[in-house]
Amino acid sequence: MDTKELLKKVRKIEIKTRRLSDHIFGGEYHSTFKGRGMTFSEVRQYQFGDDVRNIDWNVTARYNEPYIKVFEEERELTMMLMVDISGSELFGTEQQFKNEVITEIAATLAFSATQNNDKIGLILFTDDIEIFIPPKKGRSHVLRIIRELIEFKPKSKQTNIVEAFKFLSNVMKKKAIVFVLSDFIADDYKQTLKIAAGKHDVTGIRIYDKSEESIPNLGMVQMQDEESGELMLVNTASKKIRTNYSKFYNEKVDYYKDSFAKSGAGSIDCRVDESYVKKLLGYFKRRN
């Protein structure tokens, strides 16, 4: 992809996702993810309806009229976006691939955090950490994140969510808001997720295509595993093969839901042909 085409794509995503974060998610994000507490801001004259418990008696005595202390939320937060860029994300039978939806969701979340003056960082992972962008503030930083999401070419096509969570625990010493965007076709990450969720505010966003849920009866079909690259002939007319595939897929989904629920983390399911706007908004409102 040349520079001109890349900038055009980045701009297109910025226009769409920034509008969403400005008009829809900004307030919801702010009220969902609280700051570290309330800090003193200023003293002003008492007004009708103010909480009398906030009266500053020293200032009131000095000026012989009531003054109150004003507090504001200390918001300084950090959002970490953990994005699965393994081979299985390059799949889609609708208008968009899974990785394109993931990019839009990540950009929307990043602009929502920017609106609240929070820092945003990025971890792109496969079965290894492909790139780590430390948390920073500002629009130009978010645009860099979007550029990496669009054009970064991973060295591997495999997935290892455990390594991603271990890396997160090593680089993020303070509590962060963490969104993990993946199809979660993976195993044995429950324990590392539990450790990460004990320290951070973690939400998993599972992106999937409806064609992944079951194999239709199409006779003998050549298929390729996007992560291993292996080509195989599959007899989709076989009921046993279709049943075994559905069982395998449903086990992965159940493991994802159970792992996030038992670790105290949040989770969102989003099919590529569904509105991620409604999914995110519904999640934020449920958490308020």
Side-chain angles (χ1 to χ4, degrees), residues 228-259:
S228 68
E230 182 185 356
L231 284 168
M232 63 197 92
L233 274 174
V234 179
N235 181 13
T236 62
S238 166
K239 187 178 179 181
K240 184 179 179 182
I241 286 175
R242 295 199 308 272
T243 301
N244 284 344
Y245 174 81
S246 294
K247 183 172 180 281
F248 164 82
Y249 181 82
N250 289 327
E251 281 174 356
K252 297 290 188 234
V253 174
D254 291 343
Y255 181 81
Y256 154 76
K257 290 180 178 177
D258 183 65
S259 298

Side-chain angles (χ1 to χ4, degrees), residues 190-232:
K190 186 180 287 186
Q191 189 56 36
T192 46
L193 165 61
K194 190 174 181 180
I195 292 167
K199 184 177 179 182
H200 304 290
D201 186 335
V202 179
T203 300
I205 305 180
R206 186 175 76 93
I207 314 296
Y208 67 102
D209 189 288
K210 64 181 179 183
S211 297
E212 294 176 300
E213 297 178 282
S214 61
I215 299 176
N217 183 350
L218 299 171
M220 198 66 79
V221 177
Q222 188 178 56
M223 295 185 177
Q224 182 176 29
D225 187 315
E226 285 291 349
E227 296 205 357
S228 68
E230 182 185 356
L231 284 168
M232 63 197 92

Side-chain angles (χ1 to χ4, degrees), residues 1 6 13 19 28 35 47 66 78 85 87 91 93 102 115 117 122 139 147 150 192 205 214 231 234 245 248 280:
M1 189 185 303
L6 173 63
I13 288 172
R19 188 170 63 242
E28 294 295 342
Q47 296 171 1
T78 297
I85 55 169
F91 180 82
T93 57
I102 283 172
Q115 239 188 324
N117 204 33
L122 178 69
R139 173 179 173 266
R147 283 198 304 273
I150 292 171
T192 46
I205 305 180
S214 61
L231 284 168
V234 179
Y245 174 81
F248 164 82
L280 288 175

Side-chain angles (χ1 to χ4, degrees), residues 36-271:
R36 288 195 288 254
M38 304 302 286
T39 57
F40 173 73
S41 174
E42 61 178 338
V43 173
R44 64 162 170 78
Q45 282 184 298
Y46 178 86
Q47 296 171 1
F48 179 75
D50 285 336
D51 190 336
V52 293
R53 290 174 296 182
N54 291 332
I55 289 177
D56 187 321
W57 294 107
N58 289 332
V59 178
T60 297
R62 194 179 309 146
Y63 291 100
N64 207 27
E65 57 180 312
Y67 278 77
I68 67 160
K69 293 177 181 177
V70 178
F71 295 86
E72 62 183 24
E73 188 182 353
E74 186 187 357
R75 269 214 58 89
E76 181 74 14
L77 296 173
T78 297
M79 176 193 285
M80 282 303 304
L81 297 168
M82 293 175 59
V83 180
D84 179 356
I85 55 169
S86 60
S88 62
E89 305 309 329
L90 297 168
F91 180 82
T93 57
E94 299 295 323
Q95 287 113 345
Q96 286 182 297
F97 290 140
K98 288 189 285 185
N99 67 326
E100 291 174 323
V101 176
I102 283 172
T103 297
E104 287 192 16
I105 293 174
T108 303
L109 292 169
F111 279 123
S112 297
T114 296
Q115 239 188 324
N116 286 281
N117 204 33
D118 294 340
K119 294 177 183 175
I120 306 103
L122 178 69
I123 297 170
L124 297 183
F125 70 92
T126 51
D127 59 349
D128 199 1
I129 303 307
E130 298 277 350
I131 190 172
F132 169 55
I133 299 178
K136 279 177 67 178
K137 296 180 182 183
R139 173 179 173 266
S140 60
H141 181 67
V142 174
L143 294 181
R144 184 198 168 190
I145 285 173
I146 296 171
R147 283 198 304 273
E148 296 292 358
L149 286 164
I150 292 171
E151 78 163 353
F152 188 84
K153 298 290 187 287
K155 299 184 190 75
S156 173
K157 290 188 173 183
Q158 308 288 317
T159 310
N160 189 331
I161 296 176
V162 170
E163 286 305 312
F165 278 128
K166 283 181 179 176
F167 182 81
L168 173 76
S169 295
N170 286 334
V171 296
M172 296 303 297
K173 300 305 179 187
K174 291 182 180 178
K175 183 177 179 178
I177 300 162
V178 179
F179 287 97
V180 191
L181 295 94
S182 173
D183 54 16
F184 292 96
I185 306 297
D187 299 303
D188 302 329
Y189 54 83
K190 186 180 287 186
Q191 189 56 36
T192 46
L193 165 61
K194 190 174 181 180
I195 292 167
K199 184 177 179 182
H200 304 290
D201 186 335
V202 179
T203 300
I205 305 180
R206 186 175 76 93
I207 314 296
Y208 67 102
D209 189 288
K210 64 181 179 183
S211 297
E212 294 176 300
E213 297 178 282
S214 61
I215 299 176
N217 183 350
L218 299 171
M220 198 66 79
V221 177
Q222 188 178 56
M223 295 185 177
Q224 182 176 29
D225 187 315
E226 285 291 349
E227 296 205 357
S228 68
E230 182 185 356
L231 284 168
M232 63 197 92
L233 274 174
V234 179
N235 181 13
T236 62
S238 166
K239 187 178 179 181
K240 184 179 179 182
I241 286 175
R242 295 199 308 272
T243 301
N244 284 344
Y245 174 81
S246 294
K247 183 172 180 281
F248 164 82
Y249 181 82
N250 289 327
E251 281 174 356
K252 297 290 188 234
V253 174
D254 291 343
Y255 181 81
Y256 154 76
K257 290 180 178 177
D258 183 65
S259 298
F260 274 79
K262 286 185 176 172
S263 66
S267 64
I268 305 169
D269 282 353
C270 188
R271 213 168 68 187

